[in-house]
Amino acid sequence: RNPASIAASQDFFKSLCKNLEIPENISWHVEIAIEESLTHLFEYEMDKDSPDLLHMVFDFAEDEIKIVFDAPGRPFDFDRISTFDRDQLSSYSNVEGLGLFLLKHIMDIVQWKYLEKKGQQLVIIKKLPSSVGKEIKKANYVLSIRKTADSDQYFSDQIEYRLVRDYDDAFALTSCAYDLYHYEYKDVIYYPNELLSRNQNGLMRSWVAVAKNGTVYGHYALIKNHLSDTFAETGAAFVRPELRKAGVFKELAVRLHDDAVGLGLRGLFSLSVTNHIATQKISENYGRYTVGIRVASSPAVFVEGAKPGDRTTTTLNYHQIVERPVRDLFLPPCYREIITSTYNRLKIDINEKKDGRVRSKGDSSGRSFFDTYKDMAWHRALISARGDELICQKLQAFTDVLLETGIVCITLSIDLEDPSACALAETARKIGYFYSGIFPESFPGGHDALQMQLLNNVKVDPGTILIYQDSGKEIYQFIQNEAKQIFSPSAEANGAMS
């Protein structure tokens, strides 16, 4: 990011051209192109204060000189750079976009490409006259440049709130997520084509706060795992720091929830990190009550000042949009009181069944179910289970495998509408799982689920867990009593403060 770095790379290229006997006029043109390329990459792509290197590859072939720039950093759509107006050149009233104009006219080929979760790649090519190229042997040189800090620039503008509608919106959303979390957020956010595809096929409905210049300042989405799901997550919520006190998230929330009403969903849920009281309050304001606490379930990428490897706790908040008939549930005796209390807060009526038998190994009802999902990026896994003794044995075996592969957090989802729920929960407790909460209508087939967790050598600092809703405080206290081993020694003192 230092002018000396640009000059050094130009001199490096100039020396190569001299050794290869490239005509000076061609060398001079490419030197200008190098300056403009680096200037744009430093300004728009690379992060301030980052230790990452920008890599340049100089490739000399018989018919062309190709330079490839790989700049790790934020996604940026270079088509958004202002266009130079040559008609006003004589008045010197508009020279914005001149550098990109020169680059495109000096070089024969200019290609910008966003490499998902890596950064920007720029390729510039200068064709060589045949009289020059035939004398050149193929050569390849690499140069790495470290950038220096630059001042931040910020502008405020009128904000428009709308759904993501095209690739430009999706790409700008990717850039916003990168600016906030680099490449540590949910993967789909960093793949504009995939993000747009999900919005077009109904798996996502992304609401964005967009400035006139196309910059995304905030995002909030309805998310489904499967098109057939009758409930959706309100998630992937983030706002740039400079507008967090300007009511942007509140405006996004109003539009998202108004949108959800007309989609025919049975329920909505959200996950709120426990150091963000505001998002827990918003959930309660929209009728979503905390039904579970997911302890250390995610990397602490949302927490300012967090160290690499730190994990954060989230609350699971649920709202039943459509009234439903009373369901028969099989409640494990050790969790009966806390589960019943949570259903009462949701104003969902249930009928507790006392039959908690375990079906024999020869059971042919076909109701046994076992499914696993691994998220290696966030080192967590989900197991969904229903069934007899064989399923209990399978749970033990798969848990062992997941722990051996480095999974940090396992969430177990048990079908509460199945008679074997009590025995399966008891098996899970013996393995080391503890209570996490309930999740209505989330089990395959739309059944209600009991959720339990197991942590792999994780100690939780209760001082970092702030619970806003009364239902959440009740569940958190229950977890502290049941799973004392996961909390640091100061759990009792700090727990009261939470």
Side-chain angles (χ1 to χ4, degrees):
R1 209 156 189 135
N2 191 307
S5 297
I6 297 177
S9 62
Q10 288 176 303
D11 288 344
F12 179 73
F13 175 78
K14 186 176 181 179
S15 67
L16 298 178
C17 288
K18 185 175 181 180
N19 291 337
L20 294 170
E21 298 182 354
I22 302 293
E24 287 188 2
N25 64 322
I26 294 178
S27 174
W28 183 68
H29 284 167
V30 180
E31 287 172 46
I32 295 176
I34 290 172
E35 178 177 1
E36 297 303 334
S37 298
L38 290 175
T39 298
H40 283 89
L41 289 170
F42 285 154
E43 180 178 357
Y44 298 110
E45 168 71 10
M46 297 187 71
D47 308 327
K48 184 179 69 173
D49 300 325
S50 170
D52 292 334
L53 295 176
L54 180 149
H55 296 277
M56 300 170 62
V57 175
F58 300 84
D59 191 355
F60 293 80
E62 291 186 357
D63 59 344
E64 66 182 22
I65 300 173
K66 179 169 69 175
I67 305 177
V68 179
F69 304 80
D70 284 317
R74 69 187 303 274
F76 183 81
D77 185 356
F78 283 88
D79 289 335
R80 293 187 180 276
I81 298 177
S82 299
T83 302
F84 174 67
D85 186 350
R86 68 170 71 195
D87 294 334
Q88 297 186 27
L89 177 61
S90 59
S91 65
Y92 296 98
S93 61
N94 177 26
V95 294
E96 194 172 2
L98 177 59
L100 191 59
F101 174 84
L102 291 173
L103 178 61
K104 291 180 176 179
H105 283 76
I106 289 173
M107 303 301 287
D108 295 293
I109 297 176
V110 177
Q111 296 175 331
W112 306 96
K113 182 180 181 182
Y114 166 57
L115 304 177
E116 281 85 354
K117 295 193 72 174
K118 292 182 180 180
Q120 203 78 19
Q121 184 179 84
L122 167 62
V123 178
I124 59 175
I125 296 175
K126 184 69 172 178
K127 295 294 184 180
L128 295 174
S130 58
S131 59
V132 175
K134 67 180 182 180
E135 302 297 333
I136 296 178
K137 295 182 179 179
K138 184 173 177 59
N140 183 284
Y141 302 88
V142 178
L143 179 65
S144 297
I145 299 176
R146 189 182 302 276
K147 66 161 191 62
T148 59
D150 196 6
S151 60
D152 286 327
Q153 291 186 346
Y154 164 70
F155 68 94
S156 60
D157 207 337
Q158 185 176 356
I159 299 295
E160 177 187 5
Y161 298 87
R162 55 175 168 76
L163 289 167
V164 163
R165 58 192 182 191
D166 53 29
Y167 181 84
D168 287 345
D169 284 348
F171 195 92
L173 176 54
T174 295
S175 297
C176 179
Y178 176 84
D179 289 343
L180 291 169
Y181 306 115
H182 284 217
Y183 288 124
E184 300 298 326
Y185 203 69
K186 298 179 181 180
D187 255 11
V188 65
I189 295 294
Y190 302 108
Y191 296 84
N193 284 315
E194 174 67 14
L195 182 65
L196 181 60
S197 175
R198 292 194 185 193
N199 272 273
Q200 291 173 337
N201 65 24
L203 287 175
M204 289 184 72
R205 286 180 68 83
S206 292
W207 283 89
V208 286
V210 190
K212 285 184 177 179
N213 70 339
T215 299
V216 168
Y217 280 89
H219 174 253
Y220 201 13
L222 289 168
I223 306 170
K224 285 184 175 184
N225 289 325
H226 308 94
L227 284 175
S228 59
D229 288 347
T230 58
F231 62 94
E233 177 185 0
T234 63
F238 46 81
V239 176
R240 291 182 184 270
E242 56 266 31
L243 291 185
R244 284 177 183 167
K245 295 182 180 180
V248 170
F249 180 67
K250 182 178 179 180
E251 291 294 332
L252 287 169
V254 169
R255 286 157 175 79
L256 178 138
H257 287 90
D258 288 346
D259 185 31
V261 171
L263 296 178
L265 298 172
R266 292 182 56 83
L268 289 176
F269 75 95
S270 61
L271 296 169
S272 302
V273 291
T274 52
N275 66 315
H276 287 177
I277 291 295
T279 57
Q280 297 178 57
K281 288 182 179 179
I282 287 176
S283 289
E284 187 174 68
N285 291 341
Y286 282 98
R288 292 194 300 276
Y289 292 97
T290 299
V291 297
I293 307 290
R294 294 182 172 179
V295 183
S297 60
S298 307
V301 297
F302 318 101
V303 181
E304 293 182 8
K307 301 184 297 294
D310 286 354
R311 299 186 72 84
T312 189
T313 295
T314 58
T315 63
L316 171 64
N317 317 295
Y318 184 83
H319 172 54
Q320 185 70 37
I321 299 176
V322 179
E323 290 190 21
R324 65 183 203 177
V326 177
R327 296 190 182 188
D328 294 336
L329 302 183
F330 299 86
L331 307 184
C334 56
Y335 298 146
R336 178 179 294 115
E337 185 176 341
I338 187 67
I339 291 177
T340 302
S341 176
T342 302
Y343 274 109
N344 288 339
R345 291 183 185 275
L346 292 174
K347 295 182 172 56
I348 295 178
D349 294 326
I350 62 170
N351 179 36
E352 182 183 355
K353 299 288 288 185
K354 301 297 183 181
D355 182 6
R357 71 186 188 280
V358 179
R359 293 191 294 276
S360 67
K361 294 181 181 181
D363 177 35
S364 58
S365 66
R367 289 179 56 84
S368 293
F369 181 88
F370 194 90
D371 186 53
T372 62
Y373 169 76
K374 289 189 294 185
D375 180 354
M376 297 306 297
W378 283 10
H379 303 290
R380 62 185 183 181
L382 171 66
I383 299 176
S384 300
R386 172 183 63 213
D388 53 21
E389 292 178 0
L390 287 176
I391 295 299
C392 291
Q393 295 170 13
K394 201 169 186 179
L395 175 61
Q396 175 72 72
F398 269 80
T399 299
D400 292 342
V401 170
L402 290 172
L403 295 179
E404 289 173 2
T405 57
I407 293 295
V408 175
C409 173
I410 305 175
T411 299
L412 170 63
S413 191
I414 297 174
D415 186 355
L416 279 174
E417 299 181 42
D418 186 76
S420 64
C422 299
L424 191 52
E426 186 58 33
T427 296
R429 292 188 75 202
K430 292 177 180 177
I431 294 173
Y433 287 87
F434 57 88
Y435 184 79
S436 177
I438 63 169
F439 195 168
E441 305 202 20
S442 66
F443 199 89
H447 290 193
D448 289 2
L450 160 67
Q451 294 200 320
M452 303 176 70
Q453 278 188 265
L454 189 148
L455 299 180
N456 188 2
N457 295 319
V458 173
K459 285 291 185 180
V460 179
D461 177 6
T464 63
I465 298 177
L466 303 176
I467 308 296
Y468 173 74
Q469 296 188 27
D470 290 340
S471 58
K473 292 177 181 178
E474 182 182 24
I475 296 167
Y476 181 52
Q477 188 62 56
F478 186 93
I479 294 172
Q480 285 185 299
N481 292 333
E482 182 188 22
K484 294 182 175 66
Q485 73 280 3
I486 70 170
F487 294 97
S488 58
S490 59
E492 292 185 2
N494 289 335
M497 296 175 61
S498 301

